[in-house]
Amino acid sequence: VQLQASGGGLVQAGGSLRLSCAASGSIFSINAMGWYRQAPRKQRELVAAVTSGGSTNYADSVKGRFTISRDNAKNTVYLQMNSLKPEDTAVYYCAAEDLLTLGYDYWGQGTLVTVSS
């Protein structure tokens, strides 16, 4: 499975960005897909995830501001980020959960999101 993420950039606080992640390869082995982020000097954390059936979960810090969605026909997952805050600044990673191991075994390259105050 290969994951190609895009959509990061620089935005002012209060602004919006949308990240996209397209999956290719052995996509039949994917269950859930998610977005993680890692800020400087912090551990990587799960931001949001969506199952193949459309169930979602979010980190408390982004609830009400971020929306994850999935287009199974396009094998793409999106992260709509609204009301961005400087503390959302991080490298965002797309990840896919393997159907058999139930672990996030597949990772895309990171995309940097910078929110200026």
Side-chain angles (χ1 to χ4, degrees):
V1 175
Q2 293 80 46
L3 302 174
Q4 181 67 44
S6 61
L10 173 64
V11 64
Q12 288 187 330
S16 299
L17 280 175
R18 188 175 84 152
L19 306 183
S20 300
C21 176
S24 60
S26 301
I27 57 174
F28 55 85
S29 62
I30 293 174
N31 186 26
M33 295 185 73
W35 289 95
Y36 284 73
R37 68 185 180 188
Q38 187 165 20
R41 298 175 297 280
K42 292 189 177 181
Q43 289 190 332
R44 189 174 295 188
E45 63 173 350
L46 177 66
V47 176
V50 57
T51 68
S52 56
S55 297
T56 58
N57 67 284
Y58 297 90
D60 288 342
S61 58
V62 306
K63 283 181 181 176
R65 300 189 297 122
F66 290 11
T67 302
I68 191 169
S69 60
R70 181 170 177 171
D71 186 334
N72 289 325
K74 295 182 178 180
N75 302 315
T76 300
V77 64
Y78 305 95
L79 185 68
Q80 178 66 44
M81 305 184 293
N82 298 328
S83 302
L84 282 161
K85 304 176 180 180
E87 50 263 43
D88 294 318
T89 295
V91 177
Y92 284 70
Y93 297 89
C94 173
E97 182 186 54
D98 186 271
L99 194 60
L100 294 179
T101 68
L102 298 183
Y104 279 93
D105 296 338
Y106 311 108
W107 292 84
Q109 87 288 5
T111 184
L112 177 62
V113 172
T114 303
V115 184
S116 63
S117 57

